[in-house]
Amino acid sequence: MYPYLANPYEFYPYAPNAYDPYSYAFNPFDRQMMPPPPPPGGGGFPGQGQGQGQPPGPPPGFTPQQQATAFAVDPGGIRRCLYRNTYVWLNNGQQFWFYPTFVGRNSTAGFRWFPGFRQWGYFGIDLRQISSFTCF
């Protein structure tokens, strides 16, 4: 079932490696703490008011034009898009509709539209991966 090892401490697939630069467990700058997902039914947290929580419906049926790209995405800039349909372009070329419900110092979380499934899914991303965005 498992490969035999003379020394079981020689290799343990779930233990983070402090000497591996790709091991995220020891790189606090690449690990972002994500807020817990919202409660079922999209009720949000007490005191948030109406209209906050899950998106009210599908995103707009168009793809906006990308604006000029900034050098970095500021948390204050994307914070104005909280609870609004937002189109996001990533550095790797991906683009999608996003409905942010949380903006932290280095990350944002909310709901991403998955067009193949025609539904929203909870999603979080590091702000350094965002090339540009526009909200509606």
Side-chain angles (χ1 to χ4, degrees):
M1 182 191 227
Y2 295 105
Y4 173 75
L5 297 172
N7 181 356
Y9 298 104
E10 192 175 294
F11 174 76
Y12 185 66
Y14 304 107
N17 184 351
Y19 303 104
D20 181 4
Y22 300 104
S23 176
Y24 287 149
F26 285 90
N27 193 344
F29 300 107
D30 284 343
R31 287 296 287 221
Q32 300 297 321
M33 293 300 296
M34 296 302 300
F45 295 99
Q48 280 188 332
Q50 284 295 98
Q52 298 179 354
Q54 285 188 335
F62 64 92
T63 301
Q65 294 292 320
Q66 185 174 10
Q67 304 298 322
T69 350
F71 288 109
V73 173
D74 179 33
I78 202 165
R79 188 169 285 120
R80 66 182 171 83
C81 296
L82 278 172
Y83 304 104
R84 295 171 63 188
N85 285 318
T86 304
Y87 202 80
V88 175
W89 290 268
L90 300 183
N91 295 330
N92 65 5
Q94 290 184 10
Q95 49 185 312
F96 51 86
W97 283 102
F98 182 58
Y99 188 84
T101 58
F102 167 83
V103 176
R105 207 173 38 174
N106 300 315
S107 63
T108 183
F111 295 89
R112 176 179 176 169
W113 179 251
F114 293 97
F117 297 103
R118 297 207 34 84
Q119 69 180 8
W120 294 98
Y122 195 69
F123 176 78
I125 192 161
D126 190 311
L127 292 177
R128 294 175 293 183
Q129 295 179 343
I130 298 175
S131 171
S132 64
F133 63 91
T134 184
C135 48
F136 297 89

